Amino acid sequence: MKTLRLHFGQQDLTRVRLASGYHAMWEIVLSIHQLAFPAQHVPFFATWRRSSISMVERTGLEATVRQLAELMPAAAYFPDFLTPPSHPSGLGSSLDIVLATPRARLRAEIQILAATYRQPPSWLATLAGGQASVLAQLGNAIRRYHAVAIAQYDEELSAAVEADLAQRRQMLATNGVEALLRGLHPSTRWEPPILRVDYPVEADIHLDGRGLLLIPTFFGIHKPIALADRALLPVLAYPINRAQLWEPQLREERTRQRLHALSDLLGPVRAAVLLAIDDGLSTTALAAALSTSSSSASRHATALRRAGLIHTSRQGQRVLHTRSPLGDALVKGSAF
């Protein structure tokens, strides 16, 4: 087994930080690995995988998922720009950072990715050009995938990650940073001043006073992952212990109960719209999530907006719908 070695100085030990919550873009990349790369499949995600494949097929997103898998391969390299080290809340903010990647960096990282293919997908060269319209298409593809495969499980992902973070915060406060590093993951070994990680390649990262940001990942399965570019802020995205923290069957049952209760009040289609919107969807992504036309999705969103249950705002070329506090209260209250 090859090893990644993270070299700590004294300052680095005082600058080890835990992320504040689950990181949407890391989860999207790692969930694509679970969905599209059979060698990565683990039984824990079998129910999620079947449900997500069904949703992808129903919404006609097969080509979109194939392209995302080409951009986010389960291999020794995928582009760092997809997982920005900062941790804004929600997919929207994370994705804004991804789509604002400087063109020179975008081109350089896509070229590294293309070199890993015997015959690179032709569309990667188009993406490397960094045209606004092409980046907008990438953003829409990620949002549509998130809408059908991730959004309905946000509560479970957040709860599982927060449970892990709470435990590690307690360990850090009680026993210090070295105890945190010693207990990070079975594939890691703290041998001061080096944290060793079982890894696909031999590599060294010298922290040089920059510290280390630890990001818990729900869909991570094998071992922690660092960013490929050693000049970027040092990050280690580690898999959490998911045992008993996520049951898709229970989630699906709760969703059915909520949909039934809201349907009595709003009708089945608008109830589904209100549930799907969650923390934000464009009209196109909403239509994909509900397997309907954009005009139909827009019409139902307008009715909910007039009732004060959602907000609608324009962000560039995109119209974004988010639940209002009243809409959130209605959805949460429908579960009781």
Side-chain angles (χ1 to χ4, degrees):
M1 177 60 67
K2 297 178 180 179
T3 304
L4 168 68
R5 293 168 292 274
L6 293 97
H7 299 259
F8 284 72
Q10 191 58 42
Q11 282 186 325
D12 297 307
L13 288 173
T14 67
R15 294 175 180 173
V16 174
R17 306 173 310 287
L18 287 163
S20 59
Y22 98 88
H23 194 296
M25 284 306 304
W26 271 106
E27 301 298 352
I28 283 173
V29 170
L30 295 174
S31 69
I32 284 286
H33 293 177
Q34 275 297 303
L35 194 66
F37 297 91
Q40 298 292 310
H41 290 178
V42 295
F44 182 85
F45 292 112
T47 300
W48 169 83
R49 197 159 43 242
R50 285 194 298 270
S51 175
S52 296
I53 289 173
S54 175
M55 284 294 293
V56 165
E57 292 172 348
R58 284 172 50 201
T59 54
L61 292 182
E62 295 95 333
T64 294
V65 170
R66 281 195 297 272
Q67 283 197 322
L68 292 179
E70 291 167 346
L71 181 62
M72 309 169 181
Y77 181 82
F78 58 81
D80 289 327
F81 78 87
L82 294 168
T83 53
S86 55
H87 188 271
S89 59
L91 174 64
S93 299
S94 294
L95 193 50
D96 287 344
I97 295 174
V98 170
L99 300 181
T101 301
R103 187 169 294 188
R105 178 183 172 187
L106 181 70
R107 184 184 306 110
E109 293 189 8
I110 294 296
Q111 286 174 346
I112 294 172
L113 175 64
T116 67
Y117 284 97
R118 180 174 299 176
Q119 188 170 6
S122 59
W123 72 276
L124 289 180
T126 305
L127 178 62
Q131 294 182 351
S133 59
V134 177
L135 289 171
Q137 290 173 9
L138 173 62
N140 188 51
I142 291 173
R143 290 186 191 95
R144 294 181 72 193
Y145 169 74
H146 179 268
V148 301
I150 304 291
Q152 63 177 311
Y153 303 113
D154 269 350
E155 290 181 18
E156 281 70 18
L157 267 67
S158 294
V161 166
E162 185 52 43
D164 177 89
L165 286 171
Q167 182 181 40
R168 296 184 193 276
R169 290 186 195 113
Q170 181 64 35
M171 181 182 296
L172 181 61
T174 304
N175 300 313
V177 66
E178 292 195 66
L180 177 66
L181 295 175
R182 277 195 302 271
L184 186 61
H185 189 264
S187 68
T188 65
R189 299 170 299 286
W190 173 238
E191 300 172 0
I194 299 174
L195 181 65
R196 300 179 186 273
V197 184
D198 293 341
Y199 219 62
V201 297
E202 289 286 339
D204 289 271
I205 298 178
H206 294 269
L207 301 184
D208 293 331
R210 295 173 294 169
L212 180 66
L213 176 62
L214 298 172
I215 299 178
T217 58
F218 184 84
F219 279 98
I221 56 168
H222 294 308
K223 55 184 67 69
I225 303 173
L227 298 177
D229 187 345
R230 308 309 185 214
L232 296 173
L233 177 71
V235 161
L236 202 60
Y238 64 90
I240 65 171
N241 181 0
R242 298 171 298 262
Q244 306 304 318
L245 290 175
W246 187 60
E247 293 291 343
Q249 299 94 328
L250 297 179
R251 173 62 175 175
E252 290 168 7
E253 177 60 27
R254 286 198 297 271
T255 299
R256 283 193 293 269
Q257 291 174 355
R258 291 183 182 188
L259 185 58
H260 181 74
L262 287 172
S263 294
D264 290 343
L265 180 65
L266 302 173
V269 177
R270 287 173 188 170
V273 170
L274 191 62
L275 276 176
I277 283 174
D278 202 15
D279 66 346
L281 284 180
S282 68
T283 301
T284 301
L286 180 60
L290 298 175
S291 301
T292 189
S293 66
S294 292
S295 60
S296 176
S298 178
R299 186 166 60 253
H300 291 298
T302 297
L304 293 173
R305 183 173 65 253
R306 288 172 177 167
L309 299 178
I310 69 171
H311 297 308
T312 300
S313 59
R314 181 170 290 279
Q315 298 184 356
Q317 300 296 315
R318 188 166 67 105
V319 173
L320 184 68
H321 307 290
T322 56
R323 279 204 301 258
S324 69
L326 177 59
D328 258 343
L330 190 60
V331 166
K332 292 173 183 177
S334 71
F336 300 99

